[in-house]
Amino acid sequence: MDRLTSLPDELLCHILSFLPTKSAVVTSALSKRWLNLWKLNPNLDIDDSVFIHAEDGKAKREDIRQSFVGFVDRVLAMQGDSPITSFSLKCITGIHPDTVNRWICNVLKRGVSDLSLFTDFTCEDTEDDSYQLPRELFFSSTLVKLKLRSEHCVDWWWHAKSSSLPMLKSLDMDSDLIFCGEIEEFIPSFPALEELRMASMEWLEPYVTVSSATLRKLTLHGTGCEEYVNPTSVSFDTPNLLVLSYFDLVAEDYPLVNMNKLVHAVINLIVTDKQVKRLRELNNEEDDDDDVVLHFGNVVKLMNGIQNVQILSFTADTLEVLSQCCDTLPVFNNLKFLGITSEEGRGWQAMPALLKNCPRLETIILRGLSHYVTDKCGDACPCISREDKGSSLRSCPVNRIEIQGFLATMKEMTLIKHFLDYFPSLKRLDAVVEDNEPTQLRNPELSKCVTEMFGLYNKLHPSCSVELMVSPFLQKKWREQGHI
């Protein structure tokens, strides 16, 4: 008797729970003992791509769909009413929504606690290009974790006012667009919710309040109001929140930001090129009271609300918006890790104030160094010569800098030297070269020159380790060329 067969049924079922359901069903052919073991499996993982690959070139797409539907129907029927813990369903071959909802209702009746759905429907099968979840899902007393992925709009709205999921702790929704009604009525449906992720959100009303005493992790990736209009007001009343990822058009006001326990935040306040142009013109012409850009300075209220974070990341758009409140930025007393993404068309005007207001900063991760140069960049960069060179850097205690997406341009090399000269506590600086970036280091002569420059940096700044980090592919190429 082989070792596997000698194991008890409970352990064999546990092993089967890690297999895709189709593979688990195949084990029934091993022997009589294995015939019904898979039926006891409380975890179903069903993926129609297995059918697509297996039948590739042997049947038409409609035949594949019918084969998949028949398989799922048989699996659910053979399991009967046995309890089920998790159900993961991926169907992207155009199964009709009514069929998918029938399967969902089956596992809901059997007490499923972990439900994961990845669906894609044909335009002919959905009304108004949106997918309506089954009514039974909105009143489950057993669901603890729910994950939704859809290539179509996910419409939660039609049941939002009456839904109740008392046990739900994790909700993850991602689609081309999400309709959930008013967020103030949506979140109270989940009194135990700890993790919420909503991508491609569109606010129904311009006044938004996210309120929950149970949330620990919140991810909101929004597109503003209808037709990409900036929200008028966004508030957060989440006193126990620990992690925040917030991407959205800039609101005109943030009247309430209650998240004193926040540890980690990623902020992307999205602005258009037209709005950026207006931001830079505000002091040069008469202001229009109806111009939404005039209110961007209120983003300081959001900064005040997240000032206790230890890990903070800003996109290039966010940094541009922060230029409107440089003089009123709060002090981030607990901040140890700062991430900044830079883009050619967005400025660093807020960088001097930001660096001065991080008295315990240890690490800075810079995704790119290119930025729009203005005299308001101050001494954070050497792009414009000035008398008070490096003053904001001298007050910053950072000891490690990592530059990602390093391209080895002359501006980047100059900026690295600037950092080495004026960050007094800097112990380590890594410039990371990535294979997929159009770096000039692919030029043999230039790569040799840059390598020599980094060697010189180490000699001139012996207290700081300056490293050019390259992938194994580039290292091999440089060795072949004799540069390292």
Side-chain angles (χ1 to χ4, degrees):
M1 182 181 294
D2 63 81
R3 293 182 179 180
L4 190 60
T5 305
S6 65
L7 296 175
D9 287 354
E10 293 79 7
L11 187 52
L12 290 177
C13 287
H14 182 66
I15 293 172
L16 289 177
S17 70
F18 292 97
L19 296 177
T21 298
K22 187 176 182 182
S23 299
V25 172
V26 171
T27 63
S28 63
L30 294 176
S31 68
K32 288 185 178 180
R33 187 187 174 202
W34 287 85
L35 186 62
N36 295 310
L37 279 178
W38 70 270
K39 299 178 185 178
L40 304 176
N41 184 5
N43 303 317
L44 296 182
D45 182 1
I46 298 174
D47 185 348
D48 68 352
S49 66
V50 176
F51 284 73
I52 296 171
H53 296 153
E55 302 292 338
D56 191 22
K58 297 181 181 180
K60 295 180 180 179
R61 192 173 182 85
E62 180 61 30
D63 294 333
I64 296 173
R65 281 198 293 264
Q66 292 303 320
S67 175
F68 176 70
V69 171
F71 169 76
V72 179
D73 283 342
R74 287 192 299 273
V75 167
L76 296 178
M78 295 180 75
Q79 283 200 326
D81 296 328
S82 61
I84 184 168
T85 302
S86 70
F87 182 66
S88 175
L89 174 66
K90 180 179 181 181
C91 53
I92 58 175
T93 54
I95 307 301
H96 196 280
D98 291 346
T99 301
V100 172
N101 286 349
R102 174 164 52 83
W103 295 336
I104 295 173
C105 290
N106 178 287
V107 297
L108 287 171
K109 290 178 182 178
R110 294 161 57 191
V112 67
S113 60
D114 186 343
L115 181 59
S116 178
L117 305 172
F118 187 165
T119 59
D120 186 17
F121 306 108
T122 63
C123 296
E124 294 79 10
D125 290 337
T126 56
E127 296 182 6
D128 300 323
D129 200 34
S130 66
Y131 166 46
Q132 292 186 341
L133 296 157
R135 185 178 187 278
E136 290 80 355
L137 185 143
F138 299 93
F139 300 95
S140 170
S141 60
T142 60
L143 268 182
V144 175
K145 185 176 182 179
L146 177 59
K147 183 176 183 178
L148 304 173
R149 294 285 185 275
S150 179
E151 298 299 321
H152 282 64
C153 168
V154 171
D155 191 350
W156 191 292
W157 187 2
W158 71 304
H159 281 305
K161 293 184 179 181
S162 59
S163 61
S164 175
L165 293 154
M167 300 295 292
L168 195 68
K169 291 186 176 181
S170 176
L171 176 59
D172 185 340
M173 301 173 68
D174 192 348
S175 76
D176 282 348
L177 196 61
I178 297 172
F179 289 129
C180 67
E182 295 181 13
I183 198 76
E184 293 86 351
E185 297 177 351
F186 176 73
I187 293 182
S189 300
F190 322 112
L193 195 63
E194 296 180 358
E195 296 186 14
L196 174 61
R197 179 179 183 271
M198 303 181 76
S200 301
M201 272 293 303
E202 181 180 283
W203 303 120
L204 184 64
E205 298 291 340
Y207 295 88
V208 179
T209 298
V210 179
S211 178
S212 172
T214 59
L215 274 179
R216 301 291 186 272
K217 184 176 182 180
L218 175 62
T219 300
L220 286 179
H221 291 182
T223 58
C225 301
E226 188 175 1
E227 297 182 356
Y228 298 94
V229 174
N230 293 74
T232 302
S233 168
V234 174
S235 292
F236 296 91
D237 188 9
T238 50
N240 294 301
L241 195 67
L242 301 176
V243 180
L244 172 67
S245 178
Y246 175 50
F247 291 29
D248 200 4
L249 275 66
V250 189
E252 294 183 35
D253 196 12
Y254 297 88
L256 174 65
V257 184
N258 178 16
M259 47 181 76
N260 291 331
K261 294 183 180 179
L262 196 66
V263 175
H264 185 180
V266 180
I267 308 295
N268 181 14
L269 301 175
I270 304 168
V271 288
T272 65
D273 289 341
K274 182 178 180 180
Q275 288 173 336
V276 170
K277 183 179 180 181
R278 283 289 296 126
L279 284 171
R280 295 170 184 164
E281 294 174 346
L282 286 180
N283 296 326
N284 301 325
E285 60 181 55
E286 293 184 6
D287 299 329
D288 180 358
D289 291 338
D290 294 328
D291 193 341
V292 65
V293 172
L294 294 176
H295 304 284
F296 282 3
N298 285 329
V299 77
V300 72
K301 298 178 182 179
L302 177 62
M303 298 299 107
N304 288 334
I306 67 171
Q307 63 181 303
N308 292 329
V309 294
Q310 298 178 27
I311 304 171
L312 180 59
S313 295
F314 289 145
T315 60
D317 274 7
T318 305
L319 206 61
E320 183 75 47
V321 173
L322 290 179
S323 67
Q324 298 304 296
C325 56
C326 291
D327 296 337
T328 54
L329 275 179
V331 176
F332 296 90
N333 280 312
N334 300 325
L335 191 64
K336 295 182 178 181
F337 178 104
L338 177 63
I340 297 291
T341 299
S342 296
E343 294 178 8
E344 188 70 38
R346 300 294 184 260
W348 273 19
Q349 299 95 308
M351 281 290 276
L354 187 58
L355 294 175
K356 288 179 179 178
N357 287 17
C358 301
R360 292 179 175 83
L361 189 62
E362 296 177 0
T363 301
I364 299 176
I365 304 294
L366 295 167
R367 178 65 188 176
L369 293 177
S370 297
H371 60 277
Y372 183 81
V373 177
T374 74
D375 58 356
K376 294 182 180 179
C377 291
D379 58 339
C381 68
C383 302
I384 296 178
S385 180
R386 49 194 307 123
E387 294 181 1
D388 58 342
K389 201 172 184 179
S391 63
S392 66
L393 277 61
R394 290 194 188 97
S395 63
C396 182
V398 66
N399 57 59
R400 177 176 178 262
I401 294 178
E402 179 178 308
I403 301 167
Q404 299 177 349
F406 179 64
L407 303 178
T409 65
M410 184 58 67
K411 285 186 177 180
E412 289 177 323
M413 298 297 290
T414 303
L415 194 48
I416 286 176
K417 182 180 183 302
H418 182 69
F419 291 161
L420 293 170
D421 288 341
Y422 294 105
F423 277 120
S425 303
L426 197 59
K427 302 298 181 186
R428 178 178 173 183
L429 188 150
D430 296 329
V432 182
V433 181
E434 299 176 5
D435 288 345
N436 59 344
E437 296 286 355
T439 174
Q440 299 184 51
L441 291 170
R442 298 187 187 279
N443 181 299
E445 293 300 320
L446 183 57
S447 65
K448 182 177 180 180
C449 179
V450 171
T451 302
E452 291 174 350
M453 284 295 296
F454 272 74
L456 180 60
Y457 289 156
N458 278 295
K459 289 181 180 179
L460 295 176
H461 302 273
S463 62
C464 180
S465 172
V466 186
E467 298 292 337
L468 185 63
M469 311 292 288
V470 298
S471 68
F473 169 78
L474 285 180
Q475 285 184 359
K476 180 181 179 181
K477 184 174 182 179
W478 287 359
R479 287 193 183 96
E480 291 173 349
Q481 294 170 345
H483 299 319
I484 59 174

